[in-house]
Amino acid sequence: MPSHLSADHPAAQPPGRGSVDALISQTRRLKGDVDAVRRDAPSDGLDPQERWQRALYDLALHQLSDLDEHLAQLRDGPPPVPSVPAAQSAARTAPPASRRGSLLSRVGSAEWNLLTDEASWSGELYEILGRDRTAPPLTLDELPSLVLDEDRPRLTGMVTDCLVDAKRIDGEFRVVRPDGEERTVHMMGEPVLAADGSTASMWAVLRDVSELRRSERAVGETRDSLQRQRQRAQSEHRLAVELQEAVLPPWRGSLRLPHQGTETLDLAAHYLASSASALIGGDWYDALELADGETLLSVGDLTGHGVAVASGMATLLGAVRGMAMAGTQPGQLMSLLNQLLDATVQPALGSAVCCRYRPETRTLVWAQAGHPAPLLFRSGTGHRLNSPDGVLLGATSGAVYAQAEETLEPGDLLLLHTDGLVPGRSSTAAVDRLLDLAPRFDGARSAQDCVRMVMEEFGETEREDDACVLIVRVTS
């Protein structure tokens, strides 16, 4: 990850929760103060100025409620997922730059006199509705002509309830301006009663909340997109885990070979998942008894994460097993694996170690493809085997892989692992830390005990990639 995009960079840090909580507290105190003043203001007078002031109080409360809600979303909303698809989705749902800007709404006012059938609009209401200021204001009967068909019943119901039952108006509807632009309008109003209790007029303030609602939709759509992305990731993770568990030998306990049992080799392995990614990687380990009585031992790593990589790992492992069963020696086997990766539709890179162990002579024949060499522990000391030549699988066409031989002794312990077992270290430093376990291995009673020692030393370490370890102890 580039340093300027790292999680430690200040620009990448989300707003402090304490700061947002403080803003929420201030907003709610201000809402309380405004509401207290609003309750003290005259509410039944006929003075247009008093009605306008009360409307502004109501409007301020709505704006503060919106602010309170958005701050709460900022504090408690979905966690940021800096993936490319989510970022692209957010970009698609955000309003165009020319239409963004302040979410503070335009506010206009209107009054309709029921006795004279006259209407009075503020200049700002003409702007909101896109009307020519020289044209007469629309009457209550004409106002629905601006409203979308599906929203007209809502507007009609609000106005009817206000005029007939003296209910306050508080609702939204969408209008289409003469230029074809659609806007969302929030209307608040109430009837003005005559001395005999009848409704003399209706006044209202209308707020253009189009940008605010557009922003809310973008937030909601982005949240939904993130939720769908998390669900897809969870499904992919489950599928990758099931695929991995289907092809890898079980690592909980010693590995058992059907015919040799523990008479010749004592084997144990462990798989360590990445702590930085929920996706499964392409690491594998394997121990397989072959038809000629030899034992196949292999570890490897296909680059990447996810279902496709887990599937590719299963393909490679199947190829290794099939070729080994057919008698292919490690060096030639690596060459054929390289051809297999080179022929795939989607290019991939991998590393591997492949060994054949001959129990009659206790001979280990092995080859490697850009992979850490096996470590040999004997009599309380350890060293790395000298690697035969071999480049990464998939790196170049026609690569040739050499192979080497090592004669083992009863009590010897062989450790095969993938990169990432000792995270945050160079390859040399990682090997040195593993070799430091030699005295402890010398006192172990089984391969499983040795795996347990490796886990005690490195298992709880934060790691960016998956890793696995395979330990082979020569028993006779």
Side-chain angles (χ1 to χ4, degrees):
M1 180 183 290
S3 59
H4 66 283
L5 293 179
S6 69
D8 296 331
H9 194 279
Q13 299 297 326
R17 185 183 180 95
S19 300
V20 177
D21 283 338
L23 289 173
I24 291 174
S25 297
Q26 293 175 16
T27 301
R28 291 176 179 175
R29 284 197 299 269
L30 185 56
K31 282 174 60 180
D33 292 342
V34 172
D35 190 45
V37 176
R38 169 184 168 277
R39 287 195 301 267
D40 292 339
S43 59
D44 54 356
L46 299 179
D47 186 348
Q49 181 65 26
E50 292 178 353
R51 295 200 303 271
W52 177 245
Q53 289 176 351
R54 181 176 177 82
L56 288 179
Y57 287 136
D58 291 339
L59 178 60
L61 285 174
H62 274 276
Q63 295 277 22
L64 289 170
S65 295
D66 288 339
L67 179 59
D68 187 4
E69 179 181 346
H70 295 319
L71 288 173
Q73 289 177 345
L74 181 63
R75 181 193 62 189
D76 303 327
V81 179
S83 64
V84 173
Q88 291 173 341
S89 175
R92 287 192 297 268
T93 55
S98 63
R99 304 269 303 272
R100 288 196 294 264
S102 173
L103 294 181
L104 295 178
S105 312
R106 287 181 171 179
V107 182
S109 63
E111 182 167 0
W112 290 273
N113 191 311
L114 303 182
L115 302 178
T116 63
D117 201 28
E118 294 177 341
S120 174
W121 284 10
S122 68
E124 192 64 27
L125 183 55
Y126 279 93
E127 295 294 329
I128 293 173
L129 301 180
R131 303 281 295 178
D132 185 352
R133 292 196 182 208
T134 61
L138 299 181
T139 66
L140 284 176
D141 292 333
E142 297 169 331
L143 184 62
S145 65
L146 303 179
V147 179
L148 288 180
D149 291 345
E150 54 265 39
D151 289 357
R152 285 177 186 170
R154 184 181 312 134
L155 173 62
T156 302
M158 289 190 300
V159 172
T160 300
D161 288 343
C162 179
L163 299 181
V164 175
D165 299 325
K167 293 183 178 179
R168 299 185 73 248
I169 290 176
D170 191 345
E172 292 185 6
F173 50 87
R174 291 164 297 170
V175 300
V176 178
R177 293 156 51 104
D179 59 7
E181 183 181 11
E182 182 181 308
R183 308 297 288 177
T184 301
V185 176
H186 181 229
M187 184 175 182
M188 297 166 52
E190 59 185 35
V192 179
L193 302 180
D196 60 1
S198 62
T199 303
S201 63
M202 188 189 86
W203 66 269
V205 291
L206 294 94
R207 179 169 59 130
D208 185 348
V209 295
S210 304
E211 303 300 338
L212 180 61
R213 298 300 175 245
R214 188 177 291 114
S215 176
E216 290 173 344
R217 286 194 299 272
V219 170
E221 290 167 4
T222 303
R223 184 192 297 111
D224 292 343
S225 174
L226 294 177
Q227 180 64 25
R228 289 193 297 271
Q229 182 182 358
R230 283 194 290 268
Q231 291 172 347
R232 286 195 301 268
Q234 291 169 356
S235 298
E236 289 184 2
H237 181 266
R238 285 194 299 270
L239 179 58
V241 169
E242 291 172 1
L243 180 59
Q244 184 188 69
E245 291 179 345
V247 298
L248 295 185
W251 52 261
R252 292 175 176 84
S254 298
L255 301 179
R256 303 293 182 183
L257 299 178
H259 303 296
Q260 292 181 357
T262 57
E263 295 179 3
T264 303
L265 296 177
D266 176 21
L267 303 118
H270 198 94
Y271 188 97
L272 298 96
S274 167
S275 55
S277 173
L279 298 178
I280 294 295
D283 293 58
W284 85 79
Y285 63 89
D286 196 25
L288 181 67
E289 191 175 7
L290 304 176
D292 57 6
E294 297 183 1
T295 300
L296 169 71
L297 305 167
S298 70
V299 295
D301 179 13
L302 190 64
T303 57
H305 295 85
V307 174
V309 172
S311 177
M313 176 272 290
T315 300
L316 282 185
L317 183 53
V320 170
R321 289 171 175 172
M323 288 187 285
M325 278 290 189
T328 307
Q329 293 300 303
Q332 179 64 14
L333 190 151
M334 288 296 182
S335 296
L336 295 174
L337 280 184
N338 184 66
Q339 292 180 29
L340 177 62
L341 274 187
D342 191 46
T344 55
V345 176
Q346 295 189 356
L349 291 175
S351 67
V353 165
C354 181
C355 313
R356 289 179 73 103
Y357 177 70
R358 300 169 186 163
E360 297 85 355
T361 59
R362 290 193 292 274
T363 302
L364 185 79
V365 181
W366 69 287
Q368 64 84 31
H371 199 88
L375 306 182
L376 177 60
F377 297 85
R378 176 180 296 166
S379 302
T381 61
H383 69 277
R384 177 169 51 185
L385 299 184
N386 293 324
S387 295
D389 292 337
V391 298
L392 284 171
L393 299 173
T396 181
S397 300
V400 176
Y401 295 84
Q403 62 185 34
E405 290 190 10
E406 189 77 22
T407 301
L408 305 181
E409 299 178 2
D412 281 356
L413 188 142
L414 200 66
L415 187 153
L416 288 72
H417 68 95
T418 59
D419 284 333
L421 179 61
V422 186
R425 300 272 181 164
S426 65
S427 58
T428 301
V431 167
D432 289 343
R433 287 198 61 189
L434 288 169
L435 293 176
D436 288 342
L437 296 175
R440 296 176 62 186
F441 286 166
D442 193 46
R445 293 176 297 178
S446 67
Q448 183 62 32
D449 286 343
C450 295
V451 166
R452 191 175 296 112
M453 293 173 187
V454 174
M455 292 304 100
E456 290 172 354
E457 190 72 20
F458 308 113
E460 299 301 323
T461 306
E462 294 287 326
R463 62 189 73 254
E464 295 184 358
D465 200 1
D466 296 8
C468 60
V469 58
L470 171 64
I471 291 182
V472 183
R473 185 168 166 264
V474 181
T475 57
S476 63

